[in-house]
Amino acid sequence: MQKITLYTILGGFLIIAFSGCQSNAPKKIPSLKNLFKNDFKVGAAINERQLYGKEPGAVKLVQKQFNTISPENVLKWAPINPKPDSLNFGPADRYVKFGVKNHMWIIGHNLVWHKQVPQWIFQNKDGSLVDRQTLIKRMQQHIYREAGRYKGKIDGWDVVNEAINDKGKLRQSKWLKIIGKKYIPMAFKAAAKAAPKAELYYNDYDLYKPAKRKRVVQLVRNLQKKGIRIDGIGMQGHWSLKKPDLKQVQKSINAFSKLGVKVMISELDIKILNPGYFANKDSTTNNPDPYKNGLPDSVQTQLTNRYVSIFKLLYKNRNKISRVTFWGVNNGDSWLNYRPKKHTAYPLLFNRKNQPTPAFWGVVHAIKKMKRQNK
Ligand code: XIL
């Protein structure tokens, strides 16, 4: 009787142990930072909710997967200094503290931009535009204060963001109108003074476009000629299933790295629905949120293939690329869920439960294979 019980228990154990080896056992999830550890840093933009402990799952994922972070919004000028006499460094301090604690490569984003900048800085008390000297002073003061505060902690700054328009001309921002084109070298000079050890970057979208590529090359050469430090170019990477043509991306990577600066993909995400879809009344009235309940297999396959092609390209360029950062941690917190209209977006490699998506596995398998073949 006793023997039978013993066998039953043993048998039970064996069944449990054996079933643990079956396919329903959890697959070990590799980390992107480890996969690319000899190639480039891999990161994600983190948001205020995560910094304040409201998404512990996403925070754990960041700690497991990434070795660099970017601040989605908390370091921008408007939240930090909304009114002349109000300064709010709380969330930004938390961001930097999180990065230091987790030994991350910490990105500062950004110092000078035409968006998310408080309007008061361009205005006199009566609402008229300030003169050139006043704006130069305000810009320098902001850079000294913010980049200076995190001196030795923030490793790389997006000093100037999106200064070039789609035609490859300097954007007609208030910066340009009031200060003139010198605001760019002035910003870099001030950043170099405030944070002498941090890397300094120019960051922009659509840098695969020939006109923008050409203008960025000119901008960097101009700084270099003047002896003003610039260490890298961030290609944002807000891309879609079809655009850009990766050959154009390759051309920009080549052109930028020839300048002797680092090249980064600084804000990677992939749109499935293009702005055209939302602009079309028929499509949006009939189906405002087509992938609300998930992606059909055929679309998922397109997304996986797109991500695989992108990462194959980035991996091939590992000698030129220093960092690849996703704009968000998981699909649920991506800004694209609200752009151009509210919908369910799938732009990143982790789903709303912080689990890897088929695109994640596609990338992992493709890169492991390339590594095995020494490609
Ligand atoms: C976006 C944020 O993700 C949004 O939450 C915010 O409402 C607008 O800005 N280029 C940039 C980023 O350089 O700062 C932008 O981030 C996305 C486009």
Side-chain angles (χ1 to χ4, degrees):
M1 202 41 191
Q2 256 180 354
K3 246 188 189 169
I4 290 171
T5 322
L6 191 68
Y7 284 139
T8 319
I9 294 170
L10 262 178
F13 270 135
L14 280 176
I15 287 167
I16 292 167
F18 186 67
S19 61
C21 302
Q22 296 294 293
S23 58
N24 56 355
K27 251 194 261 178
K28 193 166 179 324
I29 300 166
S31 75
L32 295 171
K33 68 177 170 189
N34 195 33
L35 182 64
F36 292 109
K37 71 170 183 281
N38 298 321
D39 311 318
F40 39 71
K41 297 183 179 68
V42 195
I46 58 180
N47 65 29
E48 193 161 342
R49 288 174 46 74
Q50 288 150 358
L51 291 168
Y52 281 84
K54 289 183 185 139
E55 285 181 35
V59 172
K60 267 194 208 135
L61 186 65
V62 171
Q63 289 164 322
K64 278 198 192 142
Q65 288 288 331
F66 302 114
N67 48 21
T68 169
I69 49 169
S70 294
E72 186 176 2
N73 288 302
V74 300
L75 261 81
K76 290 172 182 172
W77 197 331
I80 285 190
N81 191 189
K83 287 185 198 133
D85 47 6
S86 73
L87 272 178
N88 172 25
F89 275 108
D93 286 355
R94 255 182 193 253
Y95 165 77
V96 175
K97 226 171 154 184
F98 176 82
V100 170
K101 201 177 118 208
N102 289 286
H103 313 289
M104 301 270 186
W105 178 261
I106 307 174
I107 298 301
H109 172 84
N110 54 56
L111 293 170
V112 180
W113 192 21
H114 63 289
K115 285 189 177 160
Q116 290 177 282
V117 54
Q119 286 307 302
W120 68 262
I121 65 163
F122 302 113
Q123 292 164 0
N124 293 307
K125 281 201 178 111
D126 62 8
S128 58
L129 286 188
V130 291
D131 60 49
R132 186 170 188 266
Q133 279 315 316
T134 307
L135 190 59
I136 291 174
K137 260 208 190 131
R138 285 182 179 172
M139 181 181 81
Q140 289 170 333
Q141 191 200 23
H142 170 70
I143 294 174
Y144 294 152
R145 185 163 54 202
E146 187 165 327
R149 185 179 183 92
Y150 303 117
K151 186 168 140 179
K153 290 183 177 159
I154 285 195
D155 299 292
W157 272 104
D158 289 337
V159 178
V160 175
N161 198 33
E162 303 182 352
I164 297 168
N165 68 20
D166 291 344
K167 300 209 170 85
K169 299 259 154 43
L170 286 183
R171 182 185 298 283
Q172 285 296 321
S173 63
K174 295 216 172 94
W175 295 112
L176 187 71
K177 280 186 197 145
I178 300 173
I179 303 181
K181 63 180 183 191
K182 280 208 173 139
Y183 85 89
I184 298 172
M186 281 173 181
F188 275 89
K189 238 179 164 173
K193 197 168 156 194
K197 294 215 175 107
E199 293 185 352
L200 307 179
Y201 313 133
Y202 175 73
N203 192 57
D204 208 336
Y205 62 90
D206 285 358
L207 291 191
Y208 63 88
K209 289 186 176 165
K212 279 191 118 167
R213 177 196 306 144
K214 206 168 144 201
R215 189 62 186 83
V216 171
V217 168
Q218 192 190 330
L219 184 152
V220 174
R221 282 219 184 103
N222 184 37
L223 291 172
Q224 291 173 329
K225 245 190 274 160
K226 289 192 164 98
I228 297 172
R229 187 160 67 84
I230 171 158
D231 303 289
I233 299 171
M235 301 173 69
Q236 291 185 2
H238 298 294
W239 294 339
S240 66
L241 286 180
K242 299 260 154 59
K243 276 191 187 167
D245 177 346
L246 295 185
K247 285 191 197 114
Q248 296 292 341
V249 175
Q250 180 67 63
K251 282 190 179 164
S252 293
I253 295 174
N254 293 347
F256 298 158
S257 82
K258 259 201 209 147
L259 296 164
V261 296
K262 296 188 173 177
V263 183
M264 288 148 280
I265 306 297
S266 54
E267 304 184 13
L268 183 58
D269 51 24
I270 306 293
K271 275 185 263 310
I272 289 172
L273 295 168
N274 290 311
Y277 182 89
F278 296 96
N280 180 331
K281 273 216 172 114
D282 288 343
S283 55
T284 47
T285 28
N286 294 337
N287 216 347
D289 191 5
Y291 303 131
K292 197 170 152 198
N293 300 317
L295 284 181
D297 287 350
S298 63
V299 180
Q300 179 60 64
T301 304
Q302 287 179 55
L303 180 63
T304 302
N305 291 343
R306 180 67 167 156
Y307 255 119
V308 168
S309 316
I310 289 171
F311 270 92
K312 279 185 172 172
L313 176 97
L314 299 178
Y315 179 65
K316 277 192 197 143
N317 284 281
R318 60 194 177 277
N319 296 336
K320 302 185 177 101
I321 288 175
S322 63
R323 173 173 60 97
V324 177
T325 296
F326 292 89
W327 205 241
V329 180
N330 70 42
N331 286 337
D333 56 47
S334 162
W335 70 314
L336 293 176
N337 290 288
Y338 307 95
R339 268 179 70 100
K341 279 181 190 155
K342 199 165 184 292
H343 69 288
T344 312
Y346 298 82
L348 302 167
L349 293 186
F350 296 93
N351 69 20
R352 290 169 164 74
K353 293 184 175 148
N354 295 308
Q355 295 303 311
T357 63
F360 171 93
W361 291 110
V363 167
V364 168
H365 292 143
I367 298 301
K368 281 192 173 166
K369 190 167 168 199
M370 280 176 90
K371 290 195 176 208
R372 276 199 304 274
Q373 297 171 341
N374 272 327
K375 273 195 188 158

